[in-house]
Amino acid sequence: MICAAKGRGGQRRKTIVRSYAGLRYHAENYERAADELQQMGVKCTVVGGGRIDMSHSERKVSVYGYSKTFGRAKGCNEKSAGLIREALPTYDVTWSDKGY
């Protein structure tokens, strides 16, 4: 799930990607991220959602699909993949809008 986060006073804005192991639904991921961010004084709103498959052993990440809860957001998976590439520069990160 990709979120637009803003700090106290709305001064600082950042786009973040979150996918927590063990949580099956986008809404669950959003609730957890929103709770964690709120404790730091940061508010977030969902931009869109997709699926993320990650293999640390193969150093690969695949972003694809969409969220039935939050819908398909144009460019969401491409943006998420770009943010993941920045965070994990040694990983092979791919994206697609296909799939669910």
Side-chain angles (χ1 to χ4, degrees):
M1 167 233 16
I2 188 168
C3 289
K6 56 184 173 181
R8 292 185 178 111
Q11 302 281 344
R12 205 156 175 229
R13 296 172 186 260
K14 187 173 188 174
T15 303
I16 61 169
V17 175
R18 291 292 181 268
S19 179
Y20 297 98
L23 299 183
R24 294 183 54 197
Y25 301 105
H26 289 100
E28 293 173 323
N29 280 277
Y30 171 70
E31 287 173 15
R32 182 164 171 189
D35 287 345
E36 290 177 359
L37 293 168
Q38 186 177 24
Q39 291 176 20
M40 295 183 284
V42 176
K43 293 182 181 182
C44 70
T45 56
V46 176
V47 174
R51 306 272 186 253
I52 299 175
D53 286 335
M54 179 180 285
S55 171
H56 290 292
S57 62
E58 295 179 25
R59 303 181 84 75
K60 290 185 178 184
V61 179
S62 175
V63 181
Y64 63 96
Y66 66 97
S67 167
K68 281 190 176 180
T69 304
F70 299 115
R72 189 181 301 269
K74 186 176 182 178
C76 175
N77 292 346
E78 182 177 16
K79 175 85 171 174
S80 293
L83 292 169
I84 293 168
R85 272 189 208 103
E86 288 177 21
L88 302 170
T90 62
Y91 280 55
D92 177 29
V93 182
T94 59
W95 70 272
S96 170
D97 285 330
K98 295 181 181 179
Y100 159 70

